[in-house]
Amino acid sequence: MRVGIVGLGLIGGSLGLALRRLRHAIDVTGVARQAESAAEAIQRGAVDRASTDLAELSDCDIVVIATPIEEIAGVMERLAPIVGANALITDVASVKRPVLAWAQRLPNPSRFLGGHPVAGKTRSGLRESDAEIFDHEPWIFTPAEGQDVRRFDTWFEMVRAIGASVSFMRPDLHDEQMAFLSHLAFVVSSAYAQTVKRQADETLGGPGYRGMVRLAGGDPAMYEAISRENRDALVDAIDRFDAVLHQYRQRISAGTRVKDLFGGAVHAGR
Ligand code: NAP
């Protein structure tokens, strides 16, 4: 099985490391934007070979696009005339509806299946790559309406073999869910960090503070791309959070029935 990975950062690098650890006769070819990243990926053992040339992926059975979201449409366009007619293409982007729309421009859109490993670390980049990050985490695939995904069975097997649990969801539902489960979280973390920074001495903050601001330390370019591509769902999530936060403010200000508010939220931490 020949797997191509375009984009050798945190997710692409981790995927390469995890697949190569399986030793199931999987051959991994990487493509990076910069030659240094390609060389580093080889040196870290994330790929068998790597370059900056998509043409190197011409004989791959499956190509995984693991670039930043804003690069995906362009990579798809350049990849289409290079890969074989039977090659499959997938991706790992954190939002799925726009990616599916871009894939409709491929010569054979049914050979594309969007995917999202719900895994990661606060910091991006190849240096953070780690074969373990997919272990016990969901990997959500988002087929187009009526798409037969059976031709991706071997890929699903590999995804399971590196420890992830495969599930399927409509792309719009995925994006709505992630607006609450992931995207709202980094917005709130950043807004909290910004608020605190203006008013308090951060060096006095303990584990609670550090836990709250952890996501604010993530990649601002990735957060911006996600906010742009999942705008409506994220705005809805922010509005709902705003309403709940306002309720907390009202109750705390009035000094009444505050305990049940905190008690009601407790299940989220378990
Ligand atoms: P990253 O660490 O910044 O890595 C992205 C890599 O893509 C960089 O190494 C860059 O290569 C490469 N790249 C950029 N443009 C390219 C192009 N045109 N052709 C080939 N390579 C290109 O990003 P990441 O965190 O792995 O995120 C990658 C994707 O995974 C995003 O779509 C993101 O939404 C998704 N995702 C991220 C997380 C997370 O927690 N970070 C979780 C799940 C999914 P150079 O080094 O050569 O510039």
Side-chain angles (χ1 to χ4, degrees):
M1 180 86 175
R2 295 180 65 92
V3 178
I5 303 176
V6 187
L8 302 171
L10 171 66
I11 300 296
S14 300
L15 181 60
L17 286 171
L19 289 173
R20 291 190 76 231
R21 215 171 52 167
L22 295 176
R23 301 191 194 285
H24 278 183
I26 299 171
D27 184 274
V28 182
T29 303
V31 173
R33 183 173 44 183
Q34 305 173 71
E36 304 81 64
S37 306
E40 198 183 328
I42 296 169
Q43 196 243 321
R44 285 184 71 92
V47 290
D48 292 286
R49 71 195 69 75
S51 75
T52 56
D53 187 359
L54 285 174
E56 298 292 324
L57 306 178
S58 60
D59 59 354
C60 285
D61 301 298
I62 183 156
V63 176
V64 184
I65 304 175
T67 65
I69 295 167
E70 59 274 21
E71 295 289 322
I72 294 175
V75 169
M76 277 182 181
E77 199 179 325
R78 294 196 297 282
L79 206 52
I82 291 170
V83 293
N86 290 324
L88 302 175
I89 302 176
T90 186
D91 79 311
V92 297
S94 315
V95 286
K96 301 278 37 114
R97 222 163 53 126
V99 180
L100 182 62
W102 298 328
Q104 298 314 303
R105 299 182 217 143
L106 287 167
N108 189 348
S110 69
R111 305 207 74 87
F112 174 84
L113 176 62
H116 176 207
V118 189
K121 289 184 176 181
T122 307
R123 298 200 181 279
S124 294
L126 181 61
R127 286 198 185 135
E128 293 290 323
S129 61
D130 173 355
E132 308 277 341
I133 63 169
F134 308 109
D135 205 22
H136 293 102
E137 301 290 3
W139 192 308
I140 304 171
F141 289 97
T142 54
E145 208 179 333
Q147 182 178 11
D148 181 358
V149 298
R150 279 175 298 184
R151 52 167 59 116
F152 288 85
D153 279 349
T154 308
W155 181 240
F156 301 149
E157 271 170 41
M158 287 190 203
V159 164
R160 287 191 189 102
I162 62 174
S165 58
V166 168
S167 63
F168 300 90
M169 198 180 269
R170 266 181 23 211
D172 55 338
L173 274 182
H174 166 278
D175 291 357
E176 283 165 28
Q177 290 285 301
M178 288 303 138
F180 287 95
L181 294 169
S182 174
H183 312 162
L184 177 63
F186 68 67
V187 169
V188 170
S189 178
S190 300
Y192 170 79
Q194 189 183 334
T195 308
V196 171
K197 201 173 175 175
R198 287 185 187 151
Q199 306 297 331
D201 177 357
E202 294 159 83
T203 62
L204 302 177
Y209 169 74
R210 289 194 294 276
M212 275 298 295
V213 300
R214 186 178 65 81
L215 290 175
D219 179 2
M222 184 172 80
Y223 289 167
E224 183 183 52
I226 291 172
S227 304
R228 183 179 60 243
E229 298 300 343
N230 201 23
R231 185 174 57 187
D232 293 349
L234 181 53
V235 167
D236 177 53
I238 292 170
D239 286 347
R240 289 173 193 275
F241 179 75
D242 193 31
V244 173
L245 191 62
H246 186 69
Q247 196 185 7
Y248 274 70
R249 191 211 174 278
Q250 298 287 79
R251 297 263 194 103
I252 291 168
S253 165
T256 54
R257 293 189 296 122
V258 178
K259 196 171 161 192
D260 64 311
L261 273 182
F262 293 119
V266 84
H267 71 280
R270 291 196 183 142

